[in-house]
Amino acid sequence: MLKGKKIILGVSGGIAAYKACELVSRLKKLNAEVHVIMTASAAKFVTPLTFQSLSLNQVVVDMFEAPNYWEIEHISLAKLADVIVVAPATANIIGKLANGIADDMLSTTIMATRAKVIIAPAMNTNMYENPVLQRNIRLLSELGYTIVPPDEGRLACGDVGKGRMPDPSVIEKSIIDLLNFRQDMKGRTVLVTAGPTREAIDPVRFISNNSTGKMGYAIAGQAALRGAKVYLVSGPTILDAPAGVEKYNVISAEEMYNKVMELFPMCDIVIKAAAVADYAPMTSYSQKVKKLDSELELKLKRNPDILYELGKIKGNRILVGFAMETENLVENAAEKVKKKNLDFIAANDLNEEGAGFAVDTNAVKLIDREGNVESIPLKTKHEVADIILDRIMNIKRT
Ligand code: CTP
């Protein structure tokens, strides 16, 4: 299944390093070409000779050993890789990758690669739950790294909790998924909108909402991973553009409308995850509004409903919307599918824990034109993004 695929396995220094041996032998059985890079501390847990015997390739530990390849070694491995897998990934290597530190063979190779990277964290529960580590994992995930979360159970140190490296078969599956099944969107052009819009009251104040853009960015990133050409039109967020995505920054609903209309003719799939402000101040003052002793009345005007306008001119394109509701989720969302001429809508119940704004997870209901409802239980936003893209790819066009 992995014939001709070149996999670099990075092993960092945790007790789970012994499980990486099984991963190598599994990958070899699938005919992959495996090259192992070990950190110096990994070599204290398992000898390089073990990995060399299993992979049938030289194992690299020290950056300054005489190279076996004609190019500079970390660059040649970085270029060679179809995928790089770090398993087990310690807090240390995760911290380095998330912060751009490249001081050994493994971190420099990952820094120099354009290949997809899979990280399988494995460590003591307290280390795993440390907010600094969690932030680093989140950052890597937002940058397009695939994270295989650890299992729960009894750890080598005797503690019970999250942090055990998953079974090698689980990591193997994520490698196969990433290598074999993610190019299904090649040839498709996707327009994604994300984040909030800001409607200026004066030069320092605005009306906006709580959208962070995470869901839209996850969709854009996954679509790019799956081979699509992706335009991301984003309102103000603190997120970095996912790898391989062409990003346009906008501020107001009107700016978003203009950019979307400009890109729309080039696209065959449009996913509107942005939380567009429905109203903007009637007048946007050019000078800061001074406070008065009396009440201040702010008059608002309607913004264009971008999705509604796209629905009118959609032609053969696939159009997907999002809906945030606090009551009558299915009825309200189904109404929006009809009104805006959508193929389907992903509806969020804001009352549900773990769903909606700011969090890294989401639970949505997908409602199509026929009123069919598919409930997607709580998953990471990247997983939800993939399911939405799967449903889009299943829509048959005549
Ligand atoms: N949308 C849009 N332009 C707007 C408002 C919404 O393109 N001015 C899009 C959103 O990006 C989303 C969908 O329409 O994909 C539904 O957004 P939502 O705010 O839930 O619905 P509204 O149509 O604004 O209805 P309401 O706020 O009354 O629930």
Side-chain angles (χ1 to χ4, degrees):
M1 208 193 278
L2 294 176
K3 196 168 170 47
K5 299 290 183 196
K6 297 173 182 67
I7 300 170
I8 310 290
L9 173 66
V11 183
S12 59
I15 180 64
Y18 78 92
K19 289 192 190 171
C21 301
E22 191 192 331
L23 183 58
V24 176
S25 87
R26 294 182 76 105
L27 295 171
K28 288 299 288 178
K29 279 188 196 136
L30 296 177
N31 294 316
E33 181 181 323
V34 184
H35 297 264
V36 178
I37 302 176
M38 301 178 79
T39 63
S41 32
K44 302 229 188 274
F45 285 94
V46 179
T47 68
L49 185 62
T50 309
F51 284 110
Q52 192 172 306
S53 313
L54 290 166
S55 68
L56 304 177
N57 270 317
Q58 198 78 35
V59 171
V60 193
V61 183
D62 183 352
M63 244 174 88
F64 301 103
E65 260 172 29
N68 299 300
Y69 302 82
W70 64 274
E71 276 184 285
I72 300 173
E73 201 160 23
H74 69 277
I75 304 292
S76 76
L77 285 175
K79 274 193 202 157
L80 176 93
D82 290 306
V83 64
I84 300 186
V85 189
V86 187
T90 56
N92 186 46
I93 186 77
I94 293 169
K96 285 198 224 174
L97 298 179
N99 291 286
I101 297 168
D103 64 351
D104 62 6
M105 191 64 184
L106 183 55
S107 49
T108 42
T109 303
I110 295 176
M111 188 75 88
T113 196
R114 286 180 183 266
K116 317 264 163 50
V117 182
I118 298 175
I119 307 275
M123 65 200 74
N124 162 272
T125 305
N126 289 347
M127 286 176 89
Y128 182 70
E129 287 173 353
N130 186 307
V132 176
L133 179 89
Q134 286 300 320
R135 180 202 60 195
N136 289 340
I137 289 181
R138 223 169 21 246
L139 187 66
L140 290 175
S141 162
E142 280 165 15
L143 290 172
Y145 289 64
T146 301
I147 310 292
V148 184
D151 283 345
E152 252 180 86
R154 195 172 181 286
L155 303 171
C157 54
D159 286 359
V160 176
K162 225 173 174 179
R164 243 179 33 181
M165 186 167 118
D167 193 76
S169 64
V170 175
I171 300 170
E172 179 190 87
K173 180 171 180 311
S174 74
I175 296 171
I176 295 170
D177 280 351
L178 205 62
L179 285 176
N180 287 351
F181 305 130
R182 295 293 172 100
Q183 291 304 299
D184 61 333
M185 295 189 76
K186 238 192 174 91
R188 313 299 288 265
T189 306
V190 184
L191 169 60
V192 182
T193 69
T197 64
R198 274 183 194 170
E199 313 301 326
I201 298 170
D202 67 17
V204 289
R205 304 178 178 100
F206 54 80
I207 298 174
S208 192
N209 57 63
N210 285 327
S211 170
T212 55
K214 285 185 172 174
M215 191 65 238
Y217 276 60
I219 294 173
Q222 293 309 106
L225 264 182
R226 290 167 69 157
K229 159 114 192 109
V230 183
Y231 297 112
L232 172 63
V233 178
S234 173
T237 73
I238 55 160
L239 304 176
D240 291 319
V245 162
E246 201 169 308
K247 183 179 163 192
Y248 295 93
N249 293 319
V250 295
I251 300 202
S252 65
E254 200 183 331
E255 277 178 41
M256 185 173 277
Y257 175 84
N258 290 333
K259 198 67 202 169
V260 166
M261 286 300 168
E262 182 191 319
L263 296 169
F264 187 66
M266 271 105 76
C267 301
D268 47 15
I269 299 169
V270 180
I271 307 166
K272 286 232 61 213
V276 186
D278 288 325
Y279 292 92
M282 193 80 102
T283 333
S284 175
Y285 295 93
S286 56
Q287 303 298 333
K288 189 179 166 205
V289 177
K290 301 306 275 179
K291 72 171 159 303
L292 309 165
D293 287 333
S294 60
E295 285 176 347
L296 176 69
E297 222 168 76
L298 202 56
K299 247 204 154 93
L300 304 175
K301 63 174 185 211
R302 271 289 302 267
N303 272 333
D305 186 328
I306 307 171
L307 197 49
Y308 177 74
E309 297 302 325
L310 295 180
K312 290 201 271 188
I313 54 169
K314 89 188 262 264
N316 218 16
R317 293 179 186 81
I318 294 171
L319 208 52
V320 175
F322 271 78
M324 283 265 173
E325 306 288 348
T326 52
E327 53 183 3
N328 303 330
L329 176 80
V330 173
E331 296 76 10
N332 286 340
E335 186 59 40
K336 287 176 190 171
V337 174
K338 284 205 192 103
K339 192 171 145 210
K340 304 194 188 198
N341 195 17
L342 309 179
D343 289 86
F344 66 87
I345 201 160
N348 271 130
D349 187 343
L350 277 184
N351 300 319
E352 203 164 320
E353 199 171 318
F357 289 141
V359 284
D360 293 315
T361 52
N362 210 355
V364 296
K365 288 193 165 49
L366 304 183
I367 300 152
D368 69 11
R369 295 167 83 88
E370 282 75 47
N372 300 315
V373 181
E374 181 188 358
S375 293
I376 314 291
L378 199 65
K379 289 180 183 295
T380 68
K381 285 188 170 165
H382 286 85
E383 287 168 336
V384 174
D386 261 328
I387 294 173
I388 290 171
L389 295 172
D390 288 344
R391 298 303 172 266
I392 289 174
M393 295 309 287
N394 281 339
I395 295 175
K396 298 274 175 290
R397 280 281 175 262
T398 45

